[in-house]
Amino acid sequence: MGDVDSVVGERRQLTNLAYRLLGSLAEAEDAVQETYARWYAMTPARRATVVSPGAWLTTVAGRICLDLLTSARVRRERYVGEWLPEPLPDRSEWVAGRERGEPDDPADRITLDESVGMAFLVVLESMTPAERVAFVLHDVFRYPFAEVADVVGRTPAACRQLASSARRRVRAVRAPVAATAGQAAVVRDFKKAWEAKDIAALVGLLDPGAAMTADGGGLAGAALRPVEGGERIARFLVHFAERAPGLTLLERSVNGLPGLVARHDDVTVTVAAFELAADRVVRIWVVRNPEKLRAWNAPAASAGPAPSSVPAP
């Protein structure tokens, strides 16, 4: 067993799993690379004894991600401001970015569905590492608890309890929704109101209890704490627009849902994801950390990070 094609063919599944577990495309790719390194570190004779290479790779990748999630808690205590998952562009954006022969990117291997929506990933961040791994493996990827137990290092019964606890966290927030024409229209109206610096129009599109969270990671200007309240968000965004006259707003798919991208001198400096309820914006997640925007700047990867002179929310 252990045919090369079957082993290499698992990369898409592993990348999908790792991104959902880690919320970071860069870390997911590193985890997958480490998984394959461990596979090829075994002798050919040892690899030949593996009955299911796919199951072996998934188990190892899951354990690597579990270790990374545990250590990430310590690292994120030192993170400047709020930490948000790395936003994903639509696959077509990646394809366009490789017109000049850029290499294949891991985002091509990510399936965009409700389990990678920003709202869903943010909920996953609230879970313990063990809860997150058990929930994603069982509820998203449909692995039986006996196999989940091998990854988490607990009994199947304990993993069932972990997944149940995680499920309650998910139910406590709004259920993820698929992209609709109505959502796209709201985001489009939001873009127009923002470009027009129309506070009243923005307030009309925002839920009174809306919240906006920004992630600059200390590498780009961003609000260090969430901005709460529709009117406060509207005024904040208009102030931002007034300070950044050269910014271009574009409608783009962000993690499979309608979102906005801000570009300055042809470099993506901000990606905004939205959560809507009853045609009102209830959550905005703004990612400005240039290390999390590499996927959006593939053609200009050699140009360095986004300009720090651009003011930001």
Side-chain angles (χ1 to χ4, degrees), residues 9-32:
E10 293 294 325
R11 184 174 287 273
R12 176 181 290 275
Q13 174 81 349
L14 296 175
T15 305
N16 271 278
L17 172 64
Y19 175 73
R20 287 162 176 79
L21 288 178
L22 300 172
S24 165
L25 189 59
E27 289 185 0
E29 183 69 358
D30 287 344
V32 173

Side-chain angles (χ1 to χ4, degrees), residues 229-299:
E231 186 168 348
R232 287 190 64 199
I233 294 171
R235 293 187 180 282
F236 195 99
L237 290 174
V238 168
H239 178 64
F240 164 55
E242 290 173 344
R243 295 175 59 206
L247 221 55
T248 300
L249 291 177
L250 303 170
E251 295 174 51
R252 291 290 185 268
S253 170
V254 180
N255 287 60
L257 292 171
L260 293 177
V261 168
R263 292 179 66 81
H264 185 269
D265 292 336
D266 293 325
V267 175
T268 296
V269 295
T270 303
V271 172
F274 296 80
E275 181 182 8
L276 277 63
D279 293 330
R280 288 279 191 98
V281 175
V282 294
R283 293 288 184 275
I284 307 175
W285 296 280
V286 179
V287 179
R288 297 212 72 241
N289 184 340
E291 293 184 348
K292 295 183 179 183
L293 299 179
R294 290 170 180 167
W296 301 81
N297 289 308

Side-chain angles (χ1 to χ4, degrees), residues 3-309:
D3 176 78
V4 172
D5 289 340
S6 66
V7 170
V8 173
E10 293 294 325
R11 184 174 287 273
R12 176 181 290 275
Q13 174 81 349
L14 296 175
T15 305
N16 271 278
L17 172 64
Y19 175 73
R20 287 162 176 79
L21 288 178
L22 300 172
S24 165
L25 189 59
E27 289 185 0
E29 183 69 358
D30 287 344
V32 173
Q33 289 295 99
E34 175 62 21
T35 300
Y36 277 105
R38 295 187 188 185
W39 170 262
Y40 289 111
M42 294 192 297
T43 64
R46 174 69 184 89
R47 291 199 298 269
T49 66
V50 178
V51 176
S52 174
W56 188 95
L57 291 166
T58 297
T59 298
V60 172
R63 289 172 179 168
I64 291 171
C65 290
L66 181 59
D67 289 343
L68 287 171
L69 284 170
T70 301
S71 62
R73 293 205 153 195
V74 177
R75 295 197 309 274
R76 288 174 192 170
E77 287 178 359
R78 301 190 296 268
Y79 195 81
V80 179
E82 300 288 331
W83 190 97
L84 290 175
E86 184 176 346
L88 286 177
D90 185 82
R91 185 176 183 276
S92 62
E93 295 290 313
W94 287 85
V95 172
R98 290 201 306 275
E99 290 176 351
R100 286 173 286 181
E102 286 88 347
D104 180 38
D105 243 299
D108 276 343
R109 297 187 290 272
I110 302 289
T111 301
L112 296 177
D113 59 26
E114 65 275 7
S115 67
V116 295
M118 192 63 73
F120 192 81
L121 291 175
V122 169
V123 175
L124 292 181
E125 283 296 314
S126 71
M127 300 177 185
T128 68
E131 282 177 339
R132 185 167 183 166
V133 173
F135 175 77
V136 170
L137 280 172
H138 181 266
D139 285 47
V140 178
F141 287 88
R142 303 303 179 188
Y143 284 91
F145 283 117
E147 294 181 21
V148 176
D150 288 338
V151 176
V152 182
R154 305 192 190 188
T155 66
C159 290
R160 184 175 286 105
Q161 289 299 316
L162 287 170
S164 177
S165 174
R167 216 171 287 127
R168 286 194 293 272
R169 293 178 187 262
V170 173
R171 289 181 186 139
V173 299
R174 298 176 183 82
V177 295
T180 66
Q183 282 182 288
V186 172
V187 172
R188 184 172 300 115
D189 289 343
F190 194 93
K191 170 180 174 289
K192 292 177 180 177
W194 192 359
E195 289 174 327
K197 305 180 184 64
D198 189 335
I199 291 178
L202 286 170
V203 170
L205 292 165
L206 286 156
D207 184 89
M212 181 180 72
T213 303
D215 177 347
L219 301 175
L224 297 179
R225 291 178 295 277
V227 180
E228 300 180 342
E231 186 168 348
R232 287 190 64 199
I233 294 171
R235 293 187 180 282
F236 195 99
L237 290 174
V238 168
H239 178 64
F240 164 55
E242 290 173 344
R243 295 175 59 206
L247 221 55
T248 300
L249 291 177
L250 303 170
E251 295 174 51
R252 291 290 185 268
S253 170
V254 180
N255 287 60
L257 292 171
L260 293 177
V261 168
R263 292 179 66 81
H264 185 269
D265 292 336
D266 293 325
V267 175
T268 296
V269 295
T270 303
V271 172
F274 296 80
E275 181 182 8
L276 277 63
D279 293 330
R280 288 279 191 98
V281 175
V282 294
R283 293 288 184 275
I284 307 175
W285 296 280
V286 179
V287 179
R288 297 212 72 241
N289 184 340
E291 293 184 348
K292 295 183 179 183
L293 299 179
R294 290 170 180 167
W296 301 81
N297 289 308
S302 61
S308 60
S309 60

